[in-house]
Amino acid sequence: MFFITSFILALAATTAVSMPAPKERRDVRMARRSSGGAPIISNTAAGALLNASTVPFNGVTGSFAIPTFTVPAGDDPIDLGAANCENGILAGINMEIKNGSQFINAFWTSFPDGNDHFFPNVSFAQGDNITVSIAMTNATSSTAVITNESTDETSTVAIETGPICSQAEVGWLLQAVFDDSNDIIPYVDFGTVNITASAETSSGPVDISNATIVTTVQNGTTIASASVEGGIVTIAFV
Ligand SMILES: *C1O[C@H](CO)[C@@H](O)[C@H](O)[C@H]1NC(C)=O
Ligand SMILES: *[C@@H]1O[C@H](CO)[C@@H](O)[C@H](O)[C@H]1NC(C)=O
Ligand SMILES: *[C@@H]1O[C@H](CO)[C@@H](O)[C@H](O)[C@H]1NC(C)=O
Ligand SMILES: *[C@@H]1O[C@H](CO)[C@@H](O)[C@H](O)[C@H]1NC(C)=O
Ligand SMILES: *[C@@H]1O[C@H](CO)[C@@H](O)[C@H](O)[C@H]1NC(C)=O
Ligand SMILES: *[C@@H]1O[C@H](CO)[C@@H](O)[C@H](O)[C@H]1NC(C)=O
Ligand SMILES: *[C@@H]1O[C@H](CO)[C@@H](O)[C@H](O)[C@H]1NC(C)=O
Ligand SMILES: *[C@@H]1O[C@H](CO)[C@@H](O)[C@H](O)[C@H]1NC(C)=O
Ligand SMILES: *[C@@H]1O[C@H](CO)[C@@H](O)[C@H](O)[C@H]1NC(C)=O
């Protein structure tokens, strides 16, 4: 089985923010490939990625406080699946300011289908502590759960996919979003996001300290940096 799970938190600075289209999300996953654990430079993402060594991942979790934002923001999902696997799942939160109003939604997408679905019965505000997780039931069926820890509201969905392939990657990322012209919207200053990250295989929890770091560089300038220490993935606006 192959598992990728990414937390993707995107923050953007214009009013014309839209969720990344499925193709764009997939392109982001493709673009963040690197070899041998070398740091990855991306123009759309920052955070950490981890490959399974011998035993595939079967679950991944991230907990964090929704950052403060005052301009349109983006996307904070986890995904399960991979660039080299046809099938996968993405789940998390999307943050936007549209027409002066703030929206924070939890959503999930499966690949290759690519349609966004919203988690019912849960809502969020800036500063809320949330936990997102995906766990495989079997090769073609998973459960995604999002919880607002601040109120104990939880929403759980069952997600069917095609067979997930046999190599594994998990990740916790902050991701840029795209405007209606498919241009990358620059990050706004999101400060620091600390994600308490964990992943597990059938053998139990995995040490994430060797995760590959992903740094966002746009137009030659480092926009966001990341580090991993003690099970916390820290992503910082530079
Ligand atoms: C989630 O928790 C926060 C903090 O307690 C609260 O402000 C927010 O309203 C909660 N969400 C819902 C839908 O109750
Ligand atoms: C995970 O392994 C795949 C296959 O070897 C490789 O393409 C990918 O870059 C690796 N990812 C990381 C984060 O090292
Ligand atoms: C934006 O908000 C204003 C004031 O509430 C409203 O009149 C207008 O129709 C809204 N525009 C859109 C596109 O929703
Ligand atoms: C959402 O709430 C409705 C009404 O209480 C309930 O029927 C439904 O099962 C809930 N859905 C989830 C995913 O919890
Ligand atoms: C996988 O799990 C789902 C949900 O429990 C179940 O409906 C499905 O039959 C299972 N598939 C296989 C191949 O076991
Ligand atoms: C989020 O968690 C932190 C650390 O436990 C706590 O200090 C803070 O009050 C929590 N925030 C909310 C909105 O519950
Ligand atoms: C990069 O620079 C080009 C040309 O100046 C500009 O149009 C574009 O918006 C910039 N991209 C980002 C992400 O800042
Ligand atoms: C993230 O962790 C660092 C180091 O512990 C701390 O200084 C910072 O305040 C934290 N940021 C948030 C938003 O919790
Ligand atoms: C992390 O990488 C170091 C150096 O390659 C290696 O010795 C160590 O076993 C790795 N730790 C884990 C948990 O994979």
Side-chain angles (χ1 to χ4, degrees), residues 192-194 234:
T192 301
V193 179
N194 296 326
T234 296

Side-chain angles (χ1 to χ4, degrees), residues 12 14-17 69-74 94-104 126:
T14 78
T15 51
V17 177
F69 61 95
T70 55
V71 294
N94 174 60
M95 299 175 294
E96 294 182 47
I97 292 175
K98 276 184 189 161
N99 198 20
S101 297
Q102 174 182 303
F103 295 89
I104 306 176
Q126 293 184 10

Side-chain angles (χ1 to χ4, degrees), residues 137-143 158 160:
T137 306
N138 56 44
T140 59
S141 189
S142 297
T143 299
E160 299 293 325

Side-chain angles (χ1 to χ4, degrees), residues 146-195:
I146 187 157
T147 302
N148 184 342
E149 307 287 358
S150 299
T151 55
D152 267 354
E153 286 182 320
T154 293
S155 187
T156 302
V157 296
I159 303 172
E160 299 293 325
T161 62
I164 308 267
C165 53
S166 65
Q167 213 181 0
E169 183 182 86
V170 294
W172 299 267
L173 295 173
L174 180 150
Q175 183 184 292
V177 290
F178 299 80
D179 65 19
D180 293 338
S181 309
N182 264 2
D183 292 327
I184 298 167
I185 296 170
Y187 296 152
V188 295
D189 184 351
F190 54 84
T192 301
V193 179
N194 296 326
I195 303 171

Side-chain angles (χ1 to χ4, degrees), residues 14-227:
T14 78
T15 51
V17 177
S18 57
M19 304 247 290
K23 176 182 177 299
E24 288 152 0
R25 286 191 174 136
R26 195 166 189 91
D27 286 348
V28 167
R29 296 194 302 174
M30 298 295 274
R32 72 187 196 213
R33 301 277 108 190
S34 83
S35 56
I40 297 173
I41 302 299
S42 167
N43 63 351
T44 55
L49 298 167
L50 182 63
N51 266 0
S53 47
T54 51
V55 185
F57 293 110
N58 58 16
V60 63
T61 297
S63 302
F64 55 94
I66 296 174
T68 300
F69 61 95
T70 55
V71 294
D75 211 348
D76 189 355
I78 61 176
D79 69 80
L80 182 148
N84 56 351
C85 181
E86 185 182 353
N87 303 301
I89 296 168
L90 187 78
I93 65 166
N94 174 60
M95 299 175 294
E96 294 182 47
I97 292 175
K98 276 184 189 161
N99 198 20
S101 297
Q102 174 182 303
F103 295 89
I104 306 176
N105 296 313
F107 74 98
W108 62 271
T109 300
S110 68
F111 295 97
D113 173 64
N115 292 311
D116 286 325
H117 308 271
F118 291 93
F119 285 84
N121 304 348
V122 61
S123 57
F124 310 94
Q126 293 184 10
D128 286 0
N129 295 321
I130 68 161
T131 295
V132 187
S133 63
I134 295 175
M136 293 295 279
T137 306
N138 56 44
T140 59
S141 189
S142 297
T143 299
V145 183
I146 187 157
T147 302
N148 184 342
E149 307 287 358
S150 299
T151 55
D152 267 354
E153 286 182 320
T154 293
S155 187
T156 302
V157 296
I159 303 172
E160 299 293 325
T161 62
I164 308 267
C165 53
S166 65
Q167 213 181 0
E169 183 182 86
V170 294
W172 299 267
L173 295 173
L174 180 150
Q175 183 184 292
V177 290
F178 299 80
D179 65 19
D180 293 338
S181 309
N182 264 2
D183 292 327
I184 298 167
I185 296 170
Y187 296 152
V188 295
D189 184 351
F190 54 84
T192 301
V193 179
N194 296 326
I195 303 171
T196 301
S198 64
E200 59 181 34
T201 69
S202 57
S203 307
V206 173
D207 180 346
I208 70 163
S209 56
N210 276 3
T212 299
I213 297 301
V214 183
T215 300
T216 309
V217 177
Q218 291 173 348
N219 284 348
T221 303
T222 299
I223 307 294
S225 64
S227 61

